[in-house]
Structures are given as structure tokens and as C-alpha cells.
């Protein structure tokens, strides 16, 4: 028997809805997964599948209205975050659990210097004098390897490059030594060389602070190199959950297979032949139009059977630590 | 004409292209800063092939492509599309020749007018250039819809009634309308999900085969570039630092910047990860306003020596069709990376 390390965070049957003119969007629809201490868990899936809403739900930052967490539990250190008072939640946010967003420009305030903003992040959670907070800001900028931190601390966000802004975001996110860092597409807007810098930094901070990371991305290359577990989401649900190498070499869900096959992966030696890329036909449904019951992927799935359109496939174990929600797995074990 | 056969195949010739932008003066007495967005770029593209431009953000890829189709001014140098001297075109003649060169933009959301129906969007270039009569245009637009995998009756819909991938198909149909020889694809799939991206890339390759199209293709995704492009130029701060065919560039990269770029790509393929020597670049590229003397990459190059910051390295041919601008690459193609690996 292997002793599974206890999860730091458990998301159970999470449901988050948006009430819009077009109807109710079940953005997250019964999502269950857990993150073990020290993991970097990647959340992947096409645009609109509910990755960001999951992250916002964990921090209880879903805009209400139009959104609302309609059900489920989010257990962190033995407590259900969904049951905490707003005050208790504020103490967790940015402190025990913090977040870095895709576009740092929208989360940095253009009219304050970065020193002001990092100090503010510190003082929100710790009663330290301004001077101390300011000195720690400079240290944090050094920690994230900001060039020339003593000068940069006085700069306004627009003076910084995209990579430097993301460093500032990371400095703010780790200011209070969080246990969990949620990074929502932290490098999507950056060049590959800068992306490599930022992800290296994230990995180093993770080790130094003993953090657990929830990394949201759509780039399987990033997943392969920086994460150790993956949860693949489709239409607000988890369709597959596995260690990274297992997911890449032995994907079970047709959607995961499609995601891997449709990307022109960089090859060490490019093949002379270039056959057409595998296509996943159709688009992610907007969740309003989904009938409950069937597999959400059925309309796009080349292997869908009659049963797929009627009943929701349950998560099924492939090997230990690897699950997929697809009726094909059941067929395979029954046969 | 009695040019060599290989020469006749060349559709686009760009020679020492420069595009400089004057910025606003910081104060009335100061000199206006000049952005050297494209600073002496030369390349040729064969008909029916795809030529890729890669490089860091701000390296001048878009500006190069826009200058080629005269959507920005050409400060100096020459651009020839077949026999047409693009740089010399003016007024109505420029308008008339526009039919030969079109562009597909990155963002299928903002590049289509939300108040115009899809059919009219695709028809617009035909009308602007006065191509065909009414019935002919109707027929052409319906045919274009089919070519890009849309149904002709979808002409009546507005852009917001399409998905992102379908919107990009409308963009492709619009670019194809005038039967152009050259299509600039500036990050045509960057805003799309991977599943949709595959559909559009397959479409572009299919259309190329069917109509013998020539693409100038820009993407920051090197996997996409490797799949789509026959020939690739790597740009850094307004200049080409390396150029080669798709196989050579990825298997025998010569320039330290190209190495850094390739080694930074996160890969799901263990073979790629194992083969690669990581070069981590520190810092950001210098400003294109005052490009440093010598090699523009020197400030970030782990191999830079004194010569690199004083003398500008010329683009040299190392192997057939493989050129590089780096002092430390020897004439027989030994790179500083190889030397330092010992
Ligand atoms: N404020 C909102 N109002 C209404 N619907 C919303 C809102 N925010 C998100 N949604 C819907 O919730 C669903 C999930 O969105 P989410 O932002 O989580 O997707 P995502 O997986 O993060 O996608 P991306 O990769 O594009 O960031 C989508 O259908 C989206 O339209
Ligand atoms: N109209 C303009 N006026 C002034 N400067 C400009 C203009 N267009 C581009 N530039 C500058 O020229 C340089 C090259 O820009 P360009 O858009 O060609 O880069 P790029 O390689 O396409 O980058 P990206 O990958 O971000 O699209 C940049 O420094 C940019 O700021
Ligand atoms: S359950 Fe059925 S429809 Fe869903 S992915 Fe599996 S095979 Fe396809
Ligand atoms: Mg998102
Ligand atoms: Mg560009």
C-alpha cells in the first residue's frame, strides 16, 4: 500500500453558475479533484471550459451577480471555504491562497508604483509599518530577480515589460508566503523566452516556499515540463485526471486524445511528410444548450455510442491515480 | 525573358527593407526618436511556398509583412512581387495591384466589422477593386464560402453569429476573394483554441495546394511554424539573424538566439526535451529606438565577446540556403554552443 499524501485542497462536486439573459450557464458542473501538497497540478481544456471560473470559485471571487457558487465543497486545511464568512475568507485570500492572473496589466493599478502595490499586499495581511513593508517589497523584487530592484520599486506598471510585470505579480502573490498559488495562464501573453524565465521563477518560488501550485494553461508543452499532475476539463466537468507522463503516453478520454493529437508539436527532427492535423470537429458547447444526462463530449466524439448520449459516464479508474470519465473504459473492462 | 528557372519561381523579393517610425518629440527642442522597426531585411519567397517569420515580440515581423503589402510605408529598400515594384506603386496603381496581396489577421473578433453580414465582408474587396459584375460576384462569394468550409446560406449572418473558428474562415475567404498571389498570415491561429487551430491550419494548407498560394506566415508558436513553413527567417530587433529551410533550422540552428528560442519552447515530446541544451536568456531585448552597435543580440548573448559589441555581424551563407549573422559561427558551421559544449 502506498500512503497517499493528504491533499491540501479538495474540490468536491463544485457547481458554479452564471445567470445570463441567454439562460443559466453551468460554467462548472460537478467538478471534483484534489491537489496534494507540493504538487503542480495543471488544469487544461479549451477556452470556455471553466478553468478560470474554477480558480475564482476556490478564492470565492466569482462575480455575483451574474455568477453564483451553487453547490459543492472546497476543503482547505479541513475547512470548507464555501462556509467561511467573508471576513475569514479575506484572511485566506492573498495570504494562504493567492493568485496570479494572465494579464498583469489588468491586475496592477496603473496609478501606483509597484513598491506601493507590493507594500499594500503585505500590509493587508500583516500589521507591519510602512517602512518595513517597503523594504520587504525590494527584497521580494530581488527574490523574483527583477533587474535593478532598488530603482524599479519606484516605477509605475506601464514602465515595465510584460515579463517584468509578471514578476511583480509573483512578488505580490508570494509576499505572505502562501500555501497554494493559483496561476491562471501566467505566461500566455509572453514570448517563449520570457515564458521560460517566468516558469523557472515560479518553480523556484514553489520550492523555496514549499508551495502547492494550481497552474491553468492550454499549452500541453507547459504542462509536460512544469506540472506533475493534470486535470483535463471539458464543459465544466473533469474528463480525465492523471499524472503528467501517464496522461501524455496513455490518454484515455477521446477529448484528451484529441487535444494531444491536434497540436502540431515541435519535433526535434521535423518530419519531411506533413499529413493533415487531426481535427476535433465542432466547438465547445455553451453550457446552456447541454442536455443533462449524456456525456458532454458526445456531440463531438467520433467514438460516441448510443449510451453516451443518454447517460453521464462516471469517473473510472484506469490505473492507480489515473481516472477518465468515458463509457469506452467501461466497455473495455466489461468485455 | 530568359531568367533561370529557379529565379522564375521566386514570387517575392525583399531587398534591404527598412521601416522606421518617427515618434513624438518628448519636448519641443528634442529630436524626434526614430523606431528602427525593420532595419535592413532581405529575403525571397518562392511561389507556392510558405515563408515563416519568427522572433520575439517587437522584433519587426508584423511591420515587415505590412511593408511587403504596402500597409505601412517603406522607408528604404525594395520589395518586388513578381515583376511589380511594390515600393514604387502609388495611388490608383497601388489600389489596382492590391488584388495580388491580401492579409489574414490574428484576431477574428476585431478584424470583422460586426455590423456587416458575412457575405458582404467577403464581397467587399471584389467591389472595391471593381472585379466582376454583380452576378459574377454573387457566384464568387458563394464559391468562396464553400472553399473555406462554410455554407453559402451563412452569408446572411453577422460575425457574432459565428464561432471563433468560423470567423477566421470568413477572414480567409475575404483574403482569397481577389485571387491573390501572396497572402500574409499574421498570427492567424493565435487567438484560437487548439482544436479550432488545427482546422484552420489544415484549411490554409489545403487552399495552398489547390490554388498554388504563397504565404508569408507569422507565428510565435514554433510547432505551428515548423508544421506550416518551408523556409523560416528568425528576426531579432528589426533584422534577420538566421534563415534556413524548415529541416535545417530545427536540426542545425546556428545562431545563439535561435538556439535560445528553440530551447525555450516547452515540449510534450521527451525526445525534444532530451536533445535540447537549455540556453536561458536573461533580461529583455534592447529598445529599437537606439539599437546598440555591433550585434543587436550581444546584450543577452551568453557567448558575446568584445568584437560582438563593436562590429555588426553580416549575414553569411554557411550552407546552401542557410544563412546566419553571428561572429562566432565559423565558416564551416561550428557554433559557439558546440564549442562551449566541448
Ligand atoms: N461573468 C460571467 N458572466 C457570464 N458567463 C460567464 C462569466 N464568466 C465566465 N462565464 C462563462 O463560464 C464559462 C467558463 O468560463 P471560464 O472563463 O472559466 O473559461 P476558461 O476555461 O477559463 O476559458 P479561457 O481558456 O478562455 O480562459 C464560459 O462559458 C463563460 O462564458
Ligand atoms: N505604427 C507604429 N509607430 C511606431 N512604432 C511602431 C509602429 N508599429 C510598430 N512599431 C514598433 O516597431 C517595432 C516592431 O513592431 P512589430 O509589430 O513589427 O513587431 P512584431 O515582431 O510583429 O511583434 P509581436 O510579436 O508582438 O506582434 C516595435 O518596437 C513596435 O513598437
Ligand atoms: S463517453 Fe462516449 S462520447 Fe464521451 S468521450 Fe467517451 S466515447 Fe466519447
Ligand atoms: Mg480562463
Ligand atoms: Mg506582430
Amino acid at each position: 500500500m502506498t500512503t497517499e499524501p493528504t491533499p491540501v485542497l479538495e474540490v468536491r462536486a463544485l457547481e458554479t453558475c452564471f445567470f445570463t439573459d441567454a439562460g443559466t450557464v453551468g460554467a462548472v458542473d460537478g467538478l471534483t479533484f484534489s491537489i496534494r501538497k507540493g504538487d503542480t497540478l495543471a488544469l487544461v481544456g479549451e477556452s470556455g471550459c471553466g478553468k478560470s471560473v474554477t480558480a475564482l470559485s476556490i478564492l470565492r471571487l466569482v462575480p455575483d451577480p451574474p455568477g453564483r457558487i451553487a453547490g459543492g465543497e472546497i476543503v482547505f486545511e479541513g475547512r470548507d471555504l464555501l462556509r467561511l464568512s467573508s471576513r475569514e475568507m479575506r484572511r485566506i485570500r492573498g495570504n494562504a491562497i493567492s493568485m496570479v492572473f494572465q494579464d498583469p496589466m489588468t491586475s496592477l493599478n496603473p496609478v501606483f508604483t509597484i513598491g506601493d502595490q507590493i507594500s499594500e499586499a503585505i500590509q493587508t495581511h500583516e500589521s507591519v509599518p510602512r517602512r518595513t513593508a517597503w523594504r520587504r517589497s525590494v527584497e521580494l523584487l530581488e527574490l523574483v530577480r527583477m533587474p535593478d530592484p532598488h530603482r524599479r520599486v519606484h516605477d509605475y506598471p506601464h514602465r515595465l515589460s510584460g515579463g517584468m510585470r509578471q514578476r511583480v505579480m509573483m512578488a505580490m502573490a508570494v509576499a505572505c508566503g502562501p500555501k497554494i498559488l493559483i496561476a491562471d495562464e501566467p505566461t500566455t501573453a509572453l514570448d517563449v523566452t520570457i515564458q521560460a524565465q517566468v516558469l523557472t521563477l515560479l518553480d523556484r518560488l514553489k520550492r523555496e516556499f514549499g508551495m502547492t501550485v494550481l497552474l491553468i494553461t492550454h499549452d500541453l508543452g507547459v504542462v509536460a515540463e512544469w506540472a506533475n499532475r493534470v486535470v483535463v476539463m471539458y464543459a465544466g466537468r473533469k474528463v480525465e485526471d492523471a499524472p503528467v507522463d501517464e496522461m501524455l503516453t496513455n490518454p484515455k478520454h477521446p477529448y484528451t486524445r484529441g487535444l494531444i493529437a491536434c497540436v502540431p508539436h515541435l519535433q526535434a527532427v521535423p518530419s519531411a511528410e506533413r499529413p493533415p492535423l487531426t481535427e476535433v470537429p465542432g466547438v465547445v458547447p455553451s453550457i446552456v444548450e447541454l442536455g443533462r444526462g449524456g456525456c458532454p463530449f458526445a456531440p463531438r466524439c467520433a467514438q460516441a455510442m448510443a449510451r453516451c448520449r443518454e447517460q453521464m459516464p462516471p469517473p473510472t479508474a484506469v490505473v492507480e491515480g489515473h481516472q477518465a470519465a468515458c463509457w469506452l473504459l467501461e466497455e473495455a473492462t466489461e468485455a | 525573358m530568359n531568367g533561370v528557372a529557379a529565379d522564375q519561381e521566386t514570387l517575392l523579393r525583399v531587398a534591404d527593407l527598412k521601416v522606421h517610425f518617427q515618434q513624438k518629440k518628448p519636448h519641443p527642442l528634442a529630436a524626434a526618436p526614430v523606431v528602427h522597426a525593420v532595419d535592413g531585411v532581405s529575403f525571397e519567397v518562392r511561389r507556392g511556398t510558405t515563408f515563416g517569420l519568427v522572433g520575439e515580440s517587437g522584433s519587426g515581423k508584423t511591420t515587415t509583412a505590412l511593408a511587403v503589402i504596402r500597409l505601412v510605408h517603406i522607408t528604404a529598400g525594395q520589395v518586388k512581387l513578381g515583376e511589380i515594384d511594390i515600393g514604387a506603386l502609388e495611388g490608383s496603381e497601388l489600389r489596382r495591384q492590391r488584388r495580388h496581396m491580401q492579409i489574414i489577421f490574428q484576431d477574428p473578433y476585431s478584424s470583422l466589422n460586426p455590423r456587416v453580414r458575412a457575405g458582404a465582408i467577403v464581397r467587399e474587396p471584389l467591389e472595391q477593386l471593381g472585379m466582376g459584375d454583380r452576378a459574377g460576384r454573387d457566384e464568387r462569394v458563394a464559391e468562396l464560402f464553400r472553399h473555406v468550409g462554410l455554407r453559402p446560406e451563412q452569408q446572411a449572418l453577422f460575425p457574432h453569429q459565428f464561432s471563433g473558428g468560423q470567423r477566421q474562415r470568413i477572414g480567409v475567404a475575404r483574403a482569397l476573394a481577389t485571387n491573390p498571389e501572396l497572402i500574409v498570415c499574421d498570427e492567424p491561429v493565435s487567438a484560437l483554441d487548439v482544436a479550432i487551430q488545427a482546422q484552420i491550419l489544415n484549411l490554409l494548407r489545403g487552399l495552398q495546394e489547390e490554388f498554388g498560394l504563397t504565404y508569408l506566415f507569422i507565428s510565435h508558436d514554433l510547432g505551428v511554424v515548423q508544421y506550416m513553413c518551408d523556409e523560416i527567417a528568425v528576426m531579432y530587433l528589426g533584422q534577420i539573424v538566421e534563415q534556413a529551410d524548415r529541416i535545417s533550422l530545427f536540426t542545425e540552428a546556428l545562431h545563439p538566439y535561435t538556439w535560445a528560442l528553440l530551447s525555450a519552447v516547452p515540449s510534450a515530446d521527451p525526445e525534444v526535451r532530451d536533445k535540447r541544451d537549455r540556453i536561458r536568456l536573461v533580461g529583455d531585448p534592447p529598445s529599437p529606438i537606439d539599437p546598440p552597435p555591433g550585434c543587436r543580440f550581444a546584450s543577452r548573448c551568453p557567448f558575446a565577446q568584445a568584437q560582438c559589441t563593436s562590429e555588426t555581424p553580416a549575414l553569411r551563407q554557411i550552407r546552401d540556403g542557410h544563412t546566419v549573422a553571428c561572429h562566432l559561427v565559423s565558416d564551416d558551421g561550428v557554433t559557439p554552443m558546440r564549442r562551449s559544449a566541448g
Side-chain angles (χ1 to χ4, degrees):
Chain A
M1 289 234 52
T2 49
T3 44
E4 280 278 299
T6 41
V8 257
L9 186 81
E10 276 190 271
V11 173
R12 294 186 195 140
L14 178 68
E15 277 179 45
T16 306
C17 304
F18 289 93
F19 301 92
T20 69
D21 294 342
T24 305
V25 182
V28 177
D29 186 13
L31 180 71
T32 298
F33 69 94
S34 61
I35 318 182
R36 294 169 315 179
K37 187 168 178 352
D39 269 359
T40 297
L41 181 112
L43 207 52
V44 303
E46 274 171 280
S47 182
C49 71
K51 305 182 294 294
S52 295
V53 172
T54 301
L56 293 175
S57 302
I58 293 172
L59 286 166
R60 284 184 39 196
L61 288 173
V62 176
D64 178 6
R68 209 179 69 217
I69 299 179
E73 293 174 2
I74 296 172
V75 181
F76 171 67
E77 297 187 325
R79 291 192 296 173
D80 181 2
L81 297 183
L82 299 183
R83 289 168 182 278
L84 298 187
S85 68
S86 317
R87 213 170 130 240
E88 288 171 308
M89 198 58 215
R90 267 200 302 278
R91 246 183 278 148
I92 296 226
R93 220 180 277 137
N95 195 17
I97 307 179
S98 65
M99 181 152 172
V100 177
F101 297 89
Q102 168 174 351
D103 180 6
M105 227 22 205
T106 57
S107 17
L108 287 171
N109 191 327
V111 302
F112 292 107
T113 65
I114 60 172
D116 285 330
Q117 298 186 56
I118 303 174
S119 302
E120 163 98 26
I122 296 170
Q123 289 182 301
T124 309
H125 293 290
E126 289 173 44
S127 50
V128 291
R130 185 78 184 156
R131 291 176 66 122
T132 314
W134 187 267
R135 204 192 59 235
R136 289 229 335 244
S137 302
V138 177
E139 286 168 10
L140 283 161
L141 289 177
E142 273 165 2
L143 179 77
V144 298
R145 307 259 160 91
M146 174 72 91
D148 207 357
H150 290 277
R151 191 165 60 83
R152 289 296 183 185
V153 72
H154 299 286
D155 270 345
Y156 291 90
H158 74 267
R159 303 259 317 161
L160 308 180
S161 69
M164 286 196 243
R165 282 179 207 143
Q166 207 51 285
R167 282 167 194 274
V168 172
M169 291 306 298
M170 299 247 201
M172 286 167 68
V174 300
C176 298
K179 300 205 164 98
I180 299 177
L181 179 69
I182 302 176
D184 189 355
E185 309 260 11
T187 58
T188 307
L190 304 176
D191 280 316
V192 283
T193 56
I194 310 294
Q195 164 172 293
Q197 292 175 6
V198 169
L199 290 173
T200 306
L201 169 66
L202 178 67
D203 205 53
R204 185 167 60 82
L205 293 174
K206 179 190 142 174
R207 283 165 215 284
E208 277 174 27
F209 288 84
M211 291 188 304
T212 301
V213 175
L214 177 62
L215 177 64
I216 296 176
T217 177
H218 61 263
D219 184 335
L220 289 177
V222 169
V223 174
E225 296 211 4
W226 302 97
N228 60 324
R229 282 199 75 83
V230 199
V231 166
V232 182
M233 280 184 80
Y234 186 78
R237 305 186 65 90
K238 179 174 84 174
V239 295
E240 189 150 7
D241 183 347
V244 166
D245 294 337
E246 171 78 9
M247 201 272 287
L248 291 173
T249 53
N250 188 25
K252 286 297 181 206
H253 198 283
Y255 178 64
T256 313
R257 292 183 183 195
L259 273 190
I260 296 173
C262 69
V263 182
H265 295 286
L266 187 67
Q267 300 169 313
V269 180
S271 57
E273 291 297 307
R274 286 176 274 173
L277 300 165
T278 312
E279 294 181 19
V280 183
V283 293
V284 186
S286 71
I287 299 157
V288 204
E289 63 195 47
L290 274 178
R292 295 216 161 220
C295 167
F297 190 57
R300 298 173 74 188
C301 180
Q303 288 154 279
M305 305 160 283
R307 183 184 197 179
C308 304
R309 279 179 271 274
E310 286 146 22
Q311 284 171 284
M312 182 73 80
T316 307
V318 181
V319 292
E320 177 160 347
H322 182 179
Q323 284 186 334
C326 169
W327 286 120
L328 290 171
L329 287 172
E330 192 113 325
E331 302 280 311
T333 48
E334 277 166 14
Chain B
M1 276 206 324
N2 51 13
V4 248
D7 224 37
Q8 281 175 339
E9 277 184 25
T10 304
L11 174 66
L12 177 69
R13 285 190 184 78
V14 177
D16 206 17
L17 175 69
K18 291 186 180 161
V19 182
H20 295 174
F21 296 107
Q22 293 269 305
Q23 283 193 328
K24 275 210 289 288
K25 297 181 180 190
H27 58 88
L29 297 179
V34 176
V35 181
H36 297 71
V38 179
D39 215 14
V41 158
S42 307
F43 60 91
E44 295 189 347
V45 183
R46 283 171 298 127
R47 191 185 292 276
T49 66
T50 301
F51 188 92
L53 289 175
V54 302
E56 208 128 335
S57 181
S59 58
K61 307 179 293 293
T62 297
T63 308
T64 300
L66 293 182
V68 162
I69 58 173
R70 277 293 293 275
L71 289 178
V72 297
H73 70 276
I74 294 174
T75 308
Q78 207 187 34
V79 176
K80 282 188 83 179
L81 186 71
E83 292 304 310
I84 313 165
D85 185 348
I86 299 288
L89 294 177
E90 274 176 73
S92 63
E93 186 57 16
L94 174 59
R95 254 171 60 90
R96 224 164 55 76
Q97 301 295 356
R98 283 226 176 273
R99 59 178 295 186
H100 298 302
M101 38 203 192
Q102 293 291 334
I103 181 164
I104 301 166
F105 294 99
Q106 165 172 0
D107 190 346
Y109 299 89
S110 62
S111 63
L112 304 178
N113 184 338
R115 281 179 297 276
V116 179
R117 292 178 200 275
I121 289 175
V122 173
R123 173 192 288 267
E124 191 200 64
L126 297 173
E127 287 185 343
Q128 280 211 344
L129 297 170
M131 293 174 72
D133 56 12
R134 207 190 142 88
R137 286 176 204 160
D138 284 348
E139 202 174 299
R140 176 77 182 139
V141 173
E143 175 186 69
L144 286 162
F145 267 64
R146 280 190 296 268
H147 282 323
V148 300
L150 294 170
R151 282 174 283 118
E153 60 272 21
Q154 290 177 299
Q155 286 181 58
L157 303 178
F158 288 98
H160 74 265
Q161 294 171 295
F162 292 89
S163 70
Q166 287 176 321
R167 268 179 268 202
Q168 198 55 303
R169 287 174 195 268
I170 298 170
V172 174
R174 174 176 61 185
L176 285 175
T178 61
N179 243 325
E181 309 220 49
L182 177 75
I183 299 183
V184 167
C185 309
D186 190 359
E187 307 267 11
V189 293
S190 307
L192 304 175
D193 267 316
V194 287
I196 315 297
Q197 164 178 302
Q199 296 169 13
I200 298 295
L201 294 179
N202 284 342
L203 173 68
L204 289 175
R205 286 198 25 115
L207 293 169
Q208 176 168 53
E209 197 150 303
E210 196 172 343
F211 301 112
L213 296 170
T214 308
Y215 295 137
L216 188 54
F217 192 94
I218 300 173
S219 174
H220 65 267
D221 183 329
L222 290 173
V224 169
V225 167
Q226 184 181 70
Y227 177 73
M228 291 295 288
C229 301
D230 302 292
E231 194 82 25
I232 296 144
V234 182
M235 292 189 69
Y236 192 82
L237 215 64
Q239 298 180 331
I240 291 177
V241 296
E242 181 162 9
Q243 186 187 321
D245 65 80
R246 64 185 284 274
I247 309 274
S248 309
L249 189 84
F250 290 99
T251 51
E252 304 164 64
L254 297 171
H255 198 281
Y257 176 66
T258 312
W259 267 58
L261 202 59
L262 292 179
S263 74
V265 180
S267 174
D269 180 349
E271 195 197 343
V272 173
R273 269 180 276 156
D274 291 347
K275 276 200 148 181
R276 142 187 87 184
D277 309 65
R278 284 270 189 201
I279 301 186
R280 290 270 191 239
L281 291 187
V282 289
D284 293 311
S287 154
I289 291 178
D290 263 315
C295 172
R296 293 185 178 187
F297 184 57
S299 64
R300 297 170 81 201
C301 181
F303 307 105
Q305 300 183 353
Q307 182 191 18
C308 302
T309 49
S310 56
E311 279 170 52
T312 306
L315 209 51
R316 287 175 298 145
Q317 174 148 321
I318 302 296
R319 283 184 279 275
D320 215 20
H322 195 156
T323 53
V324 68
C326 169
H327 290 304
L328 299 183
V329 176
S330 72
D331 288 339
D332 52 359
V334 178
T335 64
M337 291 73 77
R338 180 121 32 104
R339 252 175 251 128
S340 77

